Amino acid sequence: MFLQGKTALITGSTSGIGLGYARALAAEGAKVMINGFGDTEGIKENVIHLQQLSGTGAAYSDADMTKPDQIRAMIADCSRELGSPDILINNAGIQHVAPVDEFPEDKWDAVLAIILSSAFHTTKAALPAMKKAGWGRVINTGSMHSLVASPYKSAYNAAKHGLAGFTKTIALEVATQGITVNCICPGYVWTSLVENQIPDTMKARGLTREQVINDVLLANQPQKKFVQVDQLAALALFLCRDEASAITGTNLSVDGGWTAQ
Ligand code: NAD
């Protein structure tokens, strides 16, 4: 339980990768605030489960990552209810798949706001307490699309590349203050975010569901299997350890070999 006494805030953690991070951190004793959308009963059950795992506190914020005032309120609520975040994981994300000349403006704005601008607003609000404590971990969920591109994902690729640059910049700014800032860059992980983009990809490329899975999603993932949420959670936990204190400003690929090509 090496995270006893620490507080973690994870954006976009009502499902998928974020919930995996939350469970792993709680199992090591961290107080965890989760965030995101979803059915109220399911979220309540997740908070109770996280409380049981950590043996201390857990909480939920329904802050919308497109709304800077709600993001600032979430950090304040976390500080009041569980303590100021020692570990901040910027994980919320959405996807939209369309050729750029047909890309809806509102989708562009939403993808950029949720993936990139929200990380700026959370980090800005959370860093002062980390600096005061002389310890902190900021972990951003990037993507292989932080490092390389695929067609029809202009907003997502732009936001995730932006997040990679943001990670490096903040790591340099706080390098001497006991705070590390890193970006975990997964290949395809089987979560609702991936499942939900299948219909649009079928439409954009004129393919069947099986063709999208095998010929698009896994086509460039050399291991030919989806990355597991637990593998990402294990890396996030390692980044929180003292042994990882020299790892900062990195974009760490967990992509089955995708970006080796
Ligand atoms: P997911 O859909 O299961 O999780 C997304 C989370 O973000 C959910 O909790 C959702 O409620 C939340 N969210 C969405 N819009 C929000 C908003 N406006 N405000 C607050 N929360 C919001 O998907 P996931 O696959 O677990 O994705 C998590 C992160 O991992 C994303 O940043 C995604 O880009 C990244 N990622 C996923 C994959 C993959 O293959 N699944 C690969 C690389 C990177």
Side-chain angles (χ1 to χ4, degrees):
M1 302 280 266
F2 79 100
L3 292 177
Q4 264 174 351
K6 298 276 195 257
T7 297
L9 170 61
I10 304 156
T11 71
S13 46
T14 49
S15 63
I17 297 167
L19 190 54
Y21 289 146
R23 287 179 177 149
L25 294 168
E28 287 296 342
K31 290 175 270 181
V32 175
M33 174 173 268
I34 57 169
N35 156 258
F37 304 142
D39 112 86
T40 314
E41 278 313 304
I43 290 170
K44 266 190 203 156
E45 281 169 23
N46 280 326
V47 171
I48 291 167
H49 184 222
L50 290 167
Q51 253 158 2
Q52 288 165 346
L53 278 174
S54 72
T56 54
Y60 164 67
S61 163
D62 65 358
D64 181 340
M65 292 301 106
T66 65
K67 306 271 184 328
D69 54 337
Q70 291 189 25
I71 295 173
R72 286 187 284 273
M74 173 183 71
I75 303 283
D77 290 346
C78 182
S79 303
R80 200 177 49 252
E81 291 173 38
L82 303 177
S84 56
D86 304 288
I87 301 162
L88 168 66
I89 305 190
N90 292 304
N91 178 74
I94 59 166
Q95 176 63 279
H96 189 80
V97 180
V100 71
D101 49 341
E102 295 168 20
F103 212 94
E105 280 86 3
D106 61 333
K107 294 288 183 196
W108 172 274
D109 289 343
V111 171
L112 267 287
I114 293 168
I115 291 176
L116 183 55
S117 298
S118 80
F120 159 71
H121 294 296
T122 57
T123 305
K124 182 176 178 187
L127 270 184
M130 291 184 193
K131 286 181 179 176
K132 207 167 161 198
W135 193 95
R137 294 289 185 265
V138 179
I139 301 172
N140 299 319
T141 304
S143 163
M144 71 287 204
H145 289 130
S146 296
L147 305 166
V148 296
S150 299
Y152 312 121
K153 296 183 176 176
S154 53
Y156 187 85
N157 294 346
K160 292 292 188 183
H161 275 67
L163 197 56
F166 181 72
T167 299
K168 293 179 196 174
T169 309
I170 310 313
L172 295 177
E173 290 185 17
V174 298
T176 60
Q177 298 182 72
I179 303 165
T180 66
V181 187
N182 290 288
C183 193
I184 295 179
C185 299
Y188 277 116
V189 190
W190 188 256
T191 67
S192 58
L193 183 137
V194 168
E195 202 165 0
N196 292 340
Q197 67 186 273
I198 290 176
D200 283 346
T201 309
M202 287 167 65
K203 203 169 128 201
R205 296 184 183 234
L207 298 176
T208 65
R209 182 181 165 84
E210 287 63 38
Q211 285 171 323
V212 170
I213 291 175
N214 295 315
D215 302 343
V216 179
L217 299 181
L218 295 181
N220 291 323
Q221 199 146 305
Q223 291 185 333
K224 299 297 173 202
K225 54 187 179 190
F226 288 96
V227 175
Q228 301 302 308
V229 167
D230 289 354
Q231 296 171 328
L232 302 171
L235 178 55
L237 269 188
F238 179 68
L239 289 173
C240 293
R241 290 190 176 274
D242 289 342
E243 292 90 329
S245 62
I247 302 175
T248 196
T250 63
N251 289 280
L252 295 160
S253 294
V254 187
D255 62 7
W258 185 297
T259 50
Q261 299 165 104

XYZ file of all heavy atoms in Angstrom, residues 11-18 35-38 62-66 90-94 114-115 141-144 156 160 185-194 196-197 226, ligand 1:
354
model
N -9.241 12.242 -14.376
C -10.352 12.707 -15.212
C -10.769 11.567 -16.142
O -9.956 10.709 -16.503
C -9.959 13.950 -16.043
O -9.043 13.567 -17.082
C -9.335 15.038 -15.176
N -12.044 11.554 -16.510
C -12.528 10.521 -17.425
C -12.297 9.125 -16.888
O -11.704 8.282 -17.567
N -12.793 8.872 -15.668
C -12.482 7.582 -15.030
C -13.727 6.816 -14.608
O -13.663 5.990 -13.702
C -11.550 7.815 -13.838
O -12.003 8.890 -13.052
N -14.850 7.080 -15.267
C -16.054 6.296 -14.962
C -16.078 5.001 -15.774
O -16.992 4.184 -15.604
C -17.328 7.118 -15.265
O -17.204 7.693 -16.579
C -17.515 8.229 -14.249
N -15.106 4.828 -16.669
C -15.055 3.587 -17.454
C -13.641 3.402 -17.992
O -12.771 4.255 -17.799
C -16.056 3.651 -18.627
O -15.690 4.701 -19.519
N -13.428 2.292 -18.647
C -12.225 2.052 -19.439
C -10.909 2.216 -18.698
O -10.737 1.768 -17.561
N -9.974 2.875 -19.367
C -8.605 3.008 -18.858
C -8.588 3.790 -17.541
O -7.894 3.433 -16.594
C -7.724 3.702 -19.922
C -7.651 2.832 -21.188
C -6.335 3.991 -19.389
C -7.075 3.551 -22.414
N -9.369 4.869 -17.477
C -9.388 5.715 -16.270
C -9.850 4.942 -15.049
O -9.271 5.088 -13.955
N -14.018 10.880 -12.126
C -14.726 11.931 -12.877
C -15.185 11.335 -14.207
O -14.581 10.403 -14.716
C -13.766 13.111 -13.115
C -14.148 13.946 -14.320
O -13.553 13.823 -15.397
N -15.138 14.789 -14.171
N -16.237 11.906 -14.733
C -16.709 11.468 -16.056
C -18.222 11.337 -16.042
O -18.881 11.738 -15.079
N -18.731 10.785 -17.104
C -20.180 10.651 -17.245
C -20.550 9.171 -17.151
O -19.697 8.309 -17.248
C -20.632 11.220 -18.585
C -20.223 12.661 -18.793
C -19.822 13.108 -20.051
C -20.220 13.569 -17.735
C -19.442 14.438 -20.257
C -19.833 14.896 -17.928
C -19.442 15.324 -19.195
N -21.856 8.924 -16.999
C -22.322 7.541 -16.970
C -23.528 7.405 -16.079
O -24.005 8.381 -15.505
N -18.722 15.265 -11.218
C -19.359 15.189 -12.545
C -18.909 16.345 -13.445
O -19.555 16.648 -14.442
C -20.890 15.167 -12.411
C -21.437 16.466 -11.830
O -20.643 17.381 -11.498
O -22.682 16.570 -11.721
N -17.767 16.979 -13.100
C -17.295 18.125 -13.887
C -17.136 17.762 -15.355
O -16.607 16.697 -15.696
C -15.949 18.611 -13.329
N -17.580 18.684 -16.203
C -17.479 18.510 -17.660
C -16.131 19.084 -18.105
O -15.853 20.280 -17.894
C -18.648 19.260 -18.316
C -18.649 19.123 -19.835
O -17.596 18.794 -20.421
O -19.713 19.375 -20.420
N -15.289 18.273 -18.708
C -13.924 18.694 -19.076
C -13.902 19.712 -20.212
O -12.837 20.186 -20.599
C -13.051 17.483 -19.419
C -12.730 16.588 -18.255
S -11.868 17.420 -16.901
C -13.177 17.539 -15.702
N -15.065 20.075 -20.749
C -15.083 21.190 -21.713
C -15.313 22.523 -21.000
O -15.315 23.570 -21.656
C -16.208 21.017 -22.774
O -17.471 21.089 -22.124
C -16.081 19.706 -23.526
N -4.615 12.991 -16.262
C -5.467 13.599 -17.298
C -5.767 12.518 -18.331
O -4.914 12.187 -19.160
C -4.741 14.782 -17.938
C -4.581 15.919 -16.960
O -5.561 16.396 -16.394
N -3.346 16.345 -16.733
N -6.973 11.990 -18.228
C -7.306 10.797 -19.027
C -8.559 10.956 -19.876
O -8.777 10.173 -20.798
C -7.466 9.615 -18.060
C -7.866 8.341 -18.750
O -7.053 7.712 -19.411
N -9.140 7.972 -18.643
N -9.390 11.970 -19.587
C -10.659 12.087 -20.331
C -10.371 12.232 -21.822
O -9.414 12.886 -22.235
C -11.448 13.288 -19.836
N -11.204 11.607 -22.617
C -11.004 11.712 -24.055
C -12.224 11.253 -24.820
O -13.005 10.437 -24.321
N -12.390 11.821 -25.991
C -13.411 11.354 -26.922
C -12.756 11.273 -28.295
O -11.662 11.799 -28.498
C -14.657 12.272 -26.985
C -14.265 13.707 -27.406
C -15.410 12.270 -25.665
C -15.443 14.571 -27.816
N -11.585 18.559 -24.476
C -11.595 17.447 -23.506
C -10.204 16.836 -23.356
O -9.764 16.524 -22.244
C -12.651 16.390 -23.912
C -14.053 16.985 -23.776
C -12.511 15.122 -23.078
C -15.158 16.161 -24.419
N -9.494 16.675 -24.475
C -8.184 16.002 -24.386
C -7.068 16.980 -23.998
O -6.241 16.675 -23.147
C -7.846 15.317 -25.729
C -8.790 14.129 -25.935
C -6.370 14.874 -25.776
C -8.630 13.418 -27.265
N -2.823 10.687 -20.316
C -3.037 9.579 -21.248
C -2.971 10.144 -22.660
O -3.879 10.849 -23.094
C -4.389 8.880 -21.022
O -4.465 8.447 -19.660
C -4.497 7.654 -21.930
N -1.857 9.852 -23.312
C -1.728 10.218 -24.719
C -2.265 9.086 -25.566
O -3.329 8.519 -25.269
N -1.505 8.715 -26.561
C -1.928 7.673 -27.497
C -0.756 7.443 -28.435
O 0.144 8.289 -28.535
C -3.133 8.189 -28.285
O -3.335 7.413 -29.449
N -0.785 6.333 -29.178
C 0.192 6.249 -30.275
C -0.043 7.420 -31.208
O 0.871 7.847 -31.928
C 0.134 4.903 -31.007
C -1.076 4.653 -31.874
S -2.565 4.340 -30.875
C -3.550 3.423 -32.028
N -8.332 14.492 -32.996
C -7.738 13.608 -31.973
C -6.212 13.625 -32.080
O -5.510 13.772 -31.077
C -8.289 12.198 -32.175
C -7.929 11.197 -31.114
C -8.678 11.092 -29.939
C -6.849 10.324 -31.274
C -8.356 10.156 -28.970
C -6.523 9.382 -30.309
C -7.284 9.301 -29.156
O -6.979 8.364 -28.194
N -3.768 14.970 -29.204
C -2.833 14.051 -28.532
C -1.375 14.456 -28.794
O -0.525 14.314 -27.921
C -3.080 12.609 -28.991
C -4.413 12.022 -28.519
C -4.468 11.804 -27.004
C -5.711 11.040 -26.583
N -5.825 10.887 -25.124
N 1.309 6.402 -23.676
C 0.789 6.395 -25.059
C 0.372 4.995 -25.482
O 1.181 4.244 -26.044
C 1.862 6.934 -26.004
S 2.337 8.634 -25.626
N -0.897 4.648 -25.227
C -1.328 3.290 -25.579
C -1.607 3.136 -27.066
O -1.998 4.091 -27.742
C -2.648 3.115 -24.803
C -2.816 4.332 -23.948
C -1.945 5.405 -24.542
N -1.429 1.902 -27.548
C -2.024 1.494 -28.815
C -3.499 1.222 -28.562
O -4.052 1.685 -27.566
N -4.117 0.473 -29.439
C -5.548 0.220 -29.246
C -5.816 -0.660 -28.031
O -5.217 -1.709 -27.867
C -6.160 -0.423 -30.489
C -6.526 0.614 -31.530
C -5.899 0.630 -32.761
C -7.491 1.578 -31.264
C -6.218 1.594 -33.716
C -7.811 2.550 -32.211
C -7.170 2.541 -33.429
O -7.491 3.492 -34.347
N -6.711 -0.147 -27.185
C -7.134 -0.847 -25.977
C -8.629 -1.095 -26.170
O -9.345 -0.190 -26.618
C -6.940 0.056 -24.727
C -7.141 -0.716 -23.434
C -5.573 0.732 -24.752
N -9.104 -2.264 -25.858
C -10.529 -2.542 -26.092
C -11.370 -1.880 -24.990
O -11.506 -2.397 -23.891
C -10.817 -4.049 -26.142
C -12.230 -4.283 -26.569
C -13.272 -4.643 -25.770
C -12.768 -4.130 -27.892
N -14.425 -4.725 -26.517
C -14.150 -4.423 -27.823
C -12.227 -3.769 -29.131
C -14.988 -4.364 -28.937
C -13.060 -3.708 -30.235
C -14.416 -4.007 -30.127
N -11.889 -0.675 -25.279
C -12.781 0.035 -24.358
C -13.930 0.606 -25.190
O -13.906 0.525 -26.422
C -12.057 1.204 -23.656
O -11.741 2.180 -24.649
C -10.789 0.777 -22.933
N -14.880 1.256 -24.504
C -16.045 1.787 -25.230
C -15.623 2.846 -26.255
O -16.260 3.003 -27.293
C -17.071 2.373 -24.248
O -16.471 3.382 -23.488
N -14.507 3.566 -25.984
C -14.045 4.598 -26.932
C -13.707 3.964 -28.283
O -13.991 4.524 -29.331
C -12.830 5.311 -26.348
C -12.258 6.475 -27.159
C -11.909 7.651 -26.240
C -11.020 6.067 -27.927
N -13.108 2.790 -28.247
C -12.754 2.100 -29.488
C -14.006 1.507 -30.134
O -14.239 1.649 -31.333
C -11.698 1.005 -29.196
C -11.528 0.071 -30.385
C -10.367 1.652 -28.868
N -17.038 2.474 -29.902
C -17.945 3.491 -30.445
C -17.470 4.088 -31.763
O -18.262 4.686 -32.478
C -18.126 4.637 -29.430
C -18.881 4.168 -28.212
O -19.562 3.148 -28.274
N -18.752 4.889 -27.106
N -16.167 3.959 -32.096
C -15.703 4.566 -33.351
C -15.820 3.596 -34.517
O -15.579 3.960 -35.665
C -14.287 5.108 -33.212
C -13.206 4.069 -33.020
C -11.853 4.691 -32.734
O -11.108 5.023 -33.624
N -11.541 4.853 -31.460
N -5.264 -6.387 -28.632
C -5.494 -5.119 -27.958
C -4.645 -5.040 -26.685
O -4.421 -6.045 -26.008
C -6.977 -4.969 -27.611
C -7.844 -4.720 -28.818
C -8.512 -5.763 -29.449
C -7.964 -3.441 -29.357
C -9.286 -5.538 -30.583
C -8.728 -3.209 -30.495
C -9.395 -4.256 -31.108
P -13.808 5.504 -22.362
O -14.817 6.025 -23.311
O -14.072 4.213 -21.651
O -13.424 6.593 -21.278
C -13.497 7.979 -21.531
C -13.814 8.668 -20.227
O -13.857 10.081 -20.483
C -15.176 8.281 -19.646
O -15.086 8.235 -18.238
C -16.060 9.444 -20.071
O -17.206 9.632 -19.242
C -15.070 10.581 -19.935
N -15.467 11.796 -20.628
C -15.845 11.960 -21.915
N -16.191 13.248 -22.137
C -16.009 13.905 -20.966
C -16.187 15.252 -20.556
N -16.628 16.205 -21.381
N -15.916 15.558 -19.265
C -15.489 14.613 -18.398
N -15.295 13.329 -18.737
C -15.554 12.991 -20.009
O -12.485 5.384 -23.249
P -10.983 4.933 -22.915
O -10.555 4.117 -24.078
O -10.852 4.381 -21.543
O -10.221 6.336 -23.040
C -9.506 6.930 -21.998
C -8.329 7.693 -22.566
O -7.447 6.770 -23.224
C -8.711 8.732 -23.616
O -7.954 9.902 -23.423
C -8.312 8.061 -24.920
O -8.031 8.994 -25.933
C -7.091 7.287 -24.482
N -6.712 6.193 -25.380
C -7.539 5.154 -25.595
C -7.144 4.156 -26.465
C -8.018 2.979 -26.739
O -7.689 2.210 -27.655
N -9.110 2.772 -26.002
C -5.901 4.211 -27.097
C -5.075 5.303 -26.854
C -5.486 6.300 -25.985
